[in-house]
Amino acid sequence: DIDHLNLRVQKELVEWLNWLKADIGFDGWRFDFAKGYSADVAKIYIDRSEPSFAVAEIWTSFAYGGDGKPNLNQDQHRQELVNWVDKVGGKGPATTFDFTTKGILNVAVEGELWRLRGTDGKAPGMIGWWPAKAVTFVDNHDTGSTQHMWPFPSDRVMQGYAYILTHPGTPCIFYDHFFDWGLKEEIDRLVSVRTRHGIHSESKLQIIEADADLYLAEIDGKVIVKLGPRYDVGNLIPGGFKVAAHGNDYAVW
């Protein structure tokens, strides 16, 4: 174990971070298991090494109901993410992985897409509260891959990417999905749509529909995304929009 409260430990870690930055060329940090030490300590490392980007892994348990499924309201879960960024410094480079969005998406794509509209009408994950500080993802090396600890439904992974690559937040693509699963071209198309239309971490999200079999949302008035098996949605798509990407139970206009 590392005693992060030990001043010598702090000094040597800061020196190491600055060496990685100046000599090796790294310009951002990932804080693994960030709930294992205080946000005050993380703030020291960030303030004294000045990375251009920093992201924390704060993986806490969801709130579950009697049916064994996550509650619709996961405000306490995302509040922990917001609190960490607040304590580290909301005006600095610190962000957190949006585990709230990941967990809700896991369940929503299994025929419960109504979960993607929170009680306030906004996105239910951290991106609904502080999208500029939320790093969205479908799976990572812990949840997917060989560890398989909280995997996304494997046959619906592209629905997950259609969501995070069109929505606010900073989306993160999983190496395995891109290089090993044969999804490179599909993911590339979604990345191109995001880039072409200037969708960014603080883009404006308007949720049009969120039912069991249909999620439909418009981003910045430029992009519309549909998740779910419902096919006939033409009456909900404004004129002038053309399909730019599509796949199994998702489409982007």
Side-chain angles (χ1 to χ4, degrees):
D1 291 347
I2 297 175
D3 179 7
H4 288 282
L5 297 178
N6 183 300
L7 295 180
R8 181 181 173 186
V9 168
Q10 292 178 7
K11 178 177 178 290
E12 292 188 357
L13 278 174
V14 167
E15 287 174 354
W16 177 64
L17 290 171
N18 282 312
W19 172 77
L20 286 172
K21 190 177 161 190
D23 289 20
I24 307 301
F26 286 99
D27 61 358
W29 316 133
R30 176 189 184 275
F31 288 88
D32 192 56
F33 192 63
K35 65 179 182 177
Y37 44 93
S38 74
D40 295 328
V41 168
K43 178 176 171 59
I44 290 170
Y45 298 142
I46 290 174
D47 288 351
R48 295 181 188 174
S49 64
E50 298 184 338
S52 61
F53 179 75
V55 59
E57 179 199 43
I58 303 164
W59 187 356
T60 55
S61 298
F62 259 34
Y64 286 86
D67 59 357
K69 291 187 176 182
N71 294 337
L72 174 62
N73 185 320
Q74 296 292 338
D75 285 357
Q76 184 177 345
H77 192 271
R78 59 177 169 173
Q79 187 65 56
E80 289 190 56
L81 304 179
V82 167
N83 289 347
W84 188 89
V85 175
D86 259 335
K87 288 178 181 175
V88 171
K91 293 182 179 178
T95 66
T96 63
F97 286 112
D98 191 348
F99 275 92
T100 317
T101 288
K102 188 269 193 291
I104 292 170
L105 266 176
N106 268 22
V107 184
V109 297
E110 300 274 30
E112 299 181 2
L113 291 165
W114 46 267
R115 291 179 177 273
L116 296 179
R117 175 157 52 194
T119 52
D120 57 2
K122 298 179 182 180
M126 189 181 178
I127 59 170
W129 280 0
W130 204 354
K133 296 296 183 178
V135 175
T136 51
F137 67 103
V138 175
D139 265 326
N140 64 25
H141 63 284
D142 289 320
T143 69
S145 195
T146 53
Q147 298 200 64
H148 222 58
M149 289 169 66
W150 202 25
F152 204 85
S154 59
D155 58 337
R156 300 169 196 267
V157 159
M158 283 308 305
Q159 286 187 60
Y161 281 110
Y163 184 89
I164 69 169
L165 289 171
T166 57
H167 278 52
T170 301
C172 183
I173 296 167
F174 186 35
Y175 182 100
D176 290 22
H177 293 158
F178 196 74
F179 291 105
D180 300 338
W181 284 39
L183 300 176
K184 182 178 185 297
E185 286 186 16
E186 267 192 275
I187 293 172
D188 268 342
R189 274 195 294 273
L190 292 170
V191 171
S192 295
V193 170
R194 184 180 186 88
T195 305
R196 192 162 62 244
H197 294 284
I199 305 302
H200 55 88
S201 63
E202 296 183 88
S203 284
K204 184 183 178 185
L205 172 67
Q206 180 195 354
I207 298 171
I208 301 168
E209 199 74 66
D211 293 331
D213 63 344
L214 172 67
Y215 173 78
L216 194 70
E218 186 174 309
I219 301 88
D220 282 348
K222 299 175 182 176
V223 170
I224 294 175
V225 60
K226 184 213 86 160
L227 305 183
R230 193 186 302 180
Y231 183 76
D232 186 17
V233 296
N235 60 316
L236 298 173
I237 308 297
F241 281 85
K242 295 181 179 179
V243 174
H246 64 89
N248 185 30
D249 288 345
Y250 78 88
V252 177
W253 289 262

